Each structure stands twice: as structure tokens, then as C-alpha cells.
Amino acid sequence: MSKAQDPFYIVKEEIQESIDKLQSSFHQWERIRPENEQRVRLTKELFTNCESIEWQVDELDKAISVAARDPSLYGIDEVELENRRRWTSSARTQVGNVKKAVVAGKENGNSASAMHRELMRLPDRSNMYTVEDNDDFISSESDRQMLLIRQQDEELDELSASVERIGGVGLTIHEELLAQEKIIDDLGNEMDSTTNRLDFVQKKVAMVMKKASATGQCMMISFLLGLFIILFILVFFT
């Protein structure tokens, strides 16, 4: 099976896209001040995305474990299995690093926010900004935050679509495994039935051979040989 058709690589591509978007959102989160409300909202989204990706990686690990039971059945070898395990481990590490950084930043942000509130209580003696400058700044900041919100909404929609596709691929893999197990069971039953029939014929031949004369034996061998060929055709070609 080519990589383009292998369900593992389809799911892997979806997860890698989600990780890339997660890291992009994380870099954006790092540039926002801790006391900014946009950072608080983005923090929640990062946690949600981390949990979603971790779930997807866990499901992919389960599929790898199933394939490891009989790699030849799925057309892969131990080297390929090890590469797949190594990739899921790397993906989980990337997500874990982002999650740890967000947790640490959230704790530091709480301290910074408290300090910022204390500073805001102090009287303003500098008068460095005019009212017009403040209005321009607020307007610019509001536009930037609205743009960020729209971008996050689009990313969440794409993530939701990716999760649905991954769920569909997982269901397809499960159904394929069940179908292959049924085929193997049917083949085993057919082989057992055929073996029993052949044993029965061989026993009958032995009994007749003991009772028949030389000439009768030749005739009987010819008859039973023809009968055996007919049974063979009936069993394997019908």
C-alpha cells in the first residue's frame, strides 16, 4: 500500500497540520502581554487544542498497536512500525512542550497582572499621551484583537473538520480489520472441511483395497481416482 493510500499517513498529515497551527498560535500567544484579555482567551484555546491533538495521537498509537500484532497482514515491517512509534512520540513531545510553556506563562501572567493592577492605581503624573493618542491606540488595539479573533475562529473550524475526518478514517480501519478477520475465519473453516472429506475418502479407499483382487483393485483405483478428481473440482472450484 502506498503512503498516499495508507490511513496512517493520512491521519499523520492531519495531526501534523494541527501541531503546526498550535505552534503558530503559541508564538502569537507569547507576543501578547499577560494582562491582555486576548491572551486569556488564547490560553484557553491552546489548552483545548493540546488536549484534542493528544487524543488524536493516542488513537493513532492504538492503530499502530493493532498493526504490530501481524505486520505482514498490513504490508509493513518492524522498521516501519518503529518509525511510526517514533513519530507519535515526537508529536506528543511537541504538544507537551507547548502545554508546559502555556501553564508556566499562565502562572507568571497572574503575578504580572497583579503588579499591573497596582501600578494602575497610582496617579498619572507623566501626561505623556494626549487623549487623541490614547483613542488612536485603543482603536488600533481593538482592530488587531478583532483580526486575531477571526483568525482563531477559522483555525477552530479547520480543527473541527480535521477531527471529523480522523474519526472517519479510524472507523474505516476498524471495519477493514473486522472484514479481514472474517475472511481468515472462513478460510480456516473451509480448510478443515476439505481435510475431513479427504480423510474420509482415503479411509474408504483403504478398506476397498483390502477386499478387492488385483484386477478389481486396478478398476477400483481408477474409479476412486476419478471420484477424487470430481470431489476436488467440487470443493475448490465451486
Side-chain angles (χ1 to χ4, degrees):
M1 181 183 298
S2 64
K3 290 185 177 181
Q5 297 176 338
D6 194 323
F8 172 82
Y9 288 99
I10 297 175
V11 177
K12 173 185 175 182
E13 183 177 353
E14 295 285 350
I15 295 176
Q16 187 60 56
E17 289 179 1
S18 298
I19 293 176
D20 293 340
K21 291 178 181 178
L22 176 70
Q23 292 178 339
S24 176
S25 299
F26 172 69
H27 294 322
Q28 178 182 339
W29 174 85
E30 288 181 311
R31 294 191 293 268
I32 301 176
R33 294 178 62 83
E35 65 275 8
N36 194 311
E37 293 182 2
Q38 173 66 16
R39 176 161 173 149
V40 175
R41 187 182 67 84
L42 194 56
T43 298
K44 295 179 180 180
E45 292 179 359
L46 286 172
F47 280 129
T48 300
N49 293 343
C50 285
E51 292 176 357
S52 176
I53 295 174
E54 287 175 342
W55 174 82
Q56 296 174 43
V57 174
D58 289 341
E59 291 299 313
L60 197 58
D61 268 334
K62 292 178 182 178
I64 294 173
S65 298
V66 172
R69 297 173 187 171
D70 189 1
S72 61
L73 182 62
Y74 302 95
I76 57 178
D77 53 22
E78 290 298 333
V79 175
E80 176 65 17
L81 285 172
E82 183 61 28
N83 290 337
R84 295 185 180 189
R85 293 191 186 100
R86 189 179 299 112
W87 185 88
T88 55
S89 176
S90 174
R92 188 176 285 105
T93 299
Q94 294 179 62
V95 176
N97 289 340
V98 171
K99 197 171 184 179
K100 291 178 183 178
V102 172
V103 170
K106 184 178 180 182
E107 294 175 353
N108 294 335
N110 291 336
S111 300
S113 298
M115 183 180 296
H116 178 71
R117 286 194 294 270
E118 291 297 327
L119 292 174
M120 291 298 292
R121 295 193 184 100
L122 297 175
D124 183 11
R125 298 185 177 88
S126 59
N127 290 325
M128 295 178 62
Y129 300 103
T130 64
V131 174
E132 182 177 358
D133 292 336
N134 288 337
D135 290 341
D136 291 341
F137 174 76
I138 293 173
S139 177
S140 176
E141 184 67 15
S142 176
D143 292 341
R144 189 177 69 84
Q145 290 184 4
M146 289 299 296
L147 179 60
L148 292 176
I149 291 173
R150 285 197 297 270
Q151 291 176 347
Q152 290 301 315
D153 290 340
E154 293 175 356
E155 292 177 357
L156 288 175
D157 291 340
E158 293 178 359
L159 179 60
S160 176
S162 297
V163 171
E164 291 180 359
R165 288 195 294 270
I166 291 172
V169 171
L171 181 60
T172 300
I173 294 174
H174 178 69
E175 292 176 350
E176 183 179 347
L177 289 175
L178 292 178
Q180 291 180 354
E181 288 179 0
K182 185 177 183 303
I183 291 172
I184 292 173
D185 291 340
D186 292 342
L187 181 60
N189 294 334
E190 187 69 23
M191 292 297 297
D192 292 339
S193 177
T194 302
T195 301
N196 292 335
R197 293 178 185 177
L198 291 176
D199 289 341
F200 176 77
V201 172
Q202 289 176 352
K203 289 178 181 179
K204 289 295 182 181
V205 170
M207 292 175 60
V208 172
M209 291 291 290
K210 290 180 180 179
K211 298 178 180 179
S213 61
T215 304
Q217 287 181 359
C218 293
M219 294 178 63
M220 187 59 63
I221 290 173
S222 300
F223 172 75
L224 292 178
L225 180 61
L227 180 61
F228 175 77
I229 294 173
I230 293 173
L231 288 175
F232 182 83
I233 294 173
L234 290 176
V235 169
F236 292 96
F237 294 96
T238 60

